[in-house]
Amino acid sequence: MNKHLAKELEVQQLRNKIQTEVQDAVQQSQREYYLREQMKAISKELGDGDETSKDITELKEKIEAAGMPEDTKKEALKELQRLQRMSPNAADYGMTRSYIEWLAVLPWAKSSGVEADIPAAEQVPQRGPLRPAEGEGPHSGLPLCTPVEAGYEGANPLLRRTSGCG
């Protein structure tokens, strides 16, 4: 009998805990909604709301029209919501806006037409200050290609003609 009562008591405590957590979450979201509405009313009263809301709408349209991958679009919209909550006078406002505009104007659905030659990139000798070429010491003059430079050069055929690496 005591085991049964202990089990019932445990279940009731769990129910109370869950209900308290849910109630706290609902109160928090209601509070945030109320504060956002107050912020909108204040910015409208100050005259900031009209121009800012137009900018937000334009940026959202640009994001929708950009043809970016779904995960990138999700991140851009998240940043747009963050921008919407910011004051235009905030220090991060300009940087966040530029980032969103930059994401929106990238040619997500377009290709440059240049084929990357991965096997050729793998064949580029990967030398550097820690792995000099045969017969060269670590302090023998001009710096050698780093693995990053050599790999990039090998993958981009236009650079192979103009660069001194590889």
Side-chain angles (χ1 to χ4, degrees):
M1 180 86 170
N2 283 342
K3 279 186 169 182
H4 183 65
L5 286 175
K7 186 71 171 174
E8 284 295 319
L9 181 62
E10 186 180 331
V11 168
Q12 187 61 35
Q13 287 174 342
L14 185 59
R15 282 185 189 144
N16 289 343
K17 180 182 174 190
I18 292 171
Q19 185 163 355
T20 302
E21 288 176 3
V22 169
Q23 190 174 14
D24 289 346
V26 168
Q27 287 175 347
Q28 179 65 26
S29 64
Q30 286 177 341
R31 184 173 184 269
E32 287 175 3
Y33 174 77
Y34 178 73
L35 291 173
R36 278 196 194 100
E37 290 301 315
Q38 279 185 329
M39 284 175 53
K40 284 180 187 175
I42 290 169
S43 72
K44 185 176 180 182
E45 191 67 30
L46 291 172
D48 293 342
D50 295 335
E51 190 173 321
T52 304
S53 62
K54 287 178 187 175
D55 288 345
I56 298 296
T57 305
E58 287 175 11
L59 285 173
K60 187 170 185 172
E61 289 171 0
K62 286 180 182 179
I63 290 170
E64 297 294 337
M68 57 182 72
E70 199 58 39
D71 57 338
T72 308
K73 183 177 179 180
K74 183 179 175 184
E75 184 65 28
L77 291 174
K78 179 181 165 187
E79 288 295 321
L80 186 64
Q81 286 178 345
R82 186 171 159 247
L83 183 71
Q84 191 172 13
R85 290 189 303 264
M86 277 187 209
S87 165
N89 300 326
D92 287 352
Y93 187 86
M95 181 184 65
T96 304
R97 181 181 163 83
S98 295
Y99 174 66
I100 295 169
E101 287 178 340
W102 179 78
L103 283 175
V105 299
L106 283 175
W108 294 99
K110 298 175 186 165
S111 174
S112 66
V114 176
E115 297 276 333
D117 190 1
I118 302 302
E122 291 172 349
Q123 299 304 316
V124 172
Q126 296 188 0
R127 300 175 295 177
L130 299 178
R131 267 181 53 196
E134 256 183 69
E136 294 180 8
H139 303 288
S140 64
L142 296 174
L144 302 171
C145 293
T146 65
V148 172
E149 292 169 331
Y152 182 70
E153 177 187 290
N156 192 337
L158 297 176
L159 287 178
R160 263 187 253 136
R161 289 185 236 136
T162 61
S163 173
C165 294

